[in-house]
Amino acid sequence: EGAGPMLLASSSFYGRQGARAAALGGVCFDIYAICSRYIQLAELQPLAHITGGAVLLYEDTENAMLPQDLVRQVGKGVERAGVRG
């Protein structure tokens, strides 16, 4: 009887299933976000966690440790793959 559209409750089921499939395929997700105000990253956290990645949030580009974090995360991936430089 309501005039508005029916909205389903948020579900993370499909996100978790996709993350598991990615992890089985050897894919790792690192999520880097730069935002000076509130940003919702909670729904993306399981994707990074299940695949062995990380979620990193930076307030601005001036003080961000993004370049160092990228090097560190890529290095972790290389170590996991058994490649050493």
Side-chain angles (χ1 to χ4, degrees), residues 66-84:
L66 182 59
Q68 295 88 342
D69 290 340
L70 283 168
V71 169
R72 186 178 72 243
Q73 290 301 105
V74 169
K76 285 182 182 179
V78 170
E79 289 173 11
R80 279 189 221 120
V83 178
R84 305 225 177 209

Side-chain angles (χ1 to χ4, degrees), residues 1-80:
E1 179 161 311
M6 295 282 295
L7 297 177
L8 300 176
S10 176
S11 171
S12 59
F13 173 79
Y14 293 105
R16 287 192 312 268
Q17 295 304 316
R20 286 187 184 111
L24 288 173
V27 177
C28 176
F29 285 90
D30 290 318
I31 301 165
Y32 301 89
I34 301 172
C35 189
S36 61
R37 54 189 160 83
Y38 177 79
I39 182 171
Q40 179 65 26
L41 294 174
E43 292 178 0
L44 295 175
Q45 194 277 333
L47 174 65
H49 178 73
I50 291 170
T51 62
V55 176
L56 300 161
L57 175 62
Y58 307 92
E59 290 185 20
D60 59 50
T61 56
E62 291 179 20
N63 299 313
M65 298 291 292
L66 182 59
Q68 295 88 342
D69 290 340
L70 283 168
V71 169
R72 186 178 72 243
Q73 290 301 105
V74 169
K76 285 182 182 179
V78 170
E79 289 173 11
R80 279 189 221 120

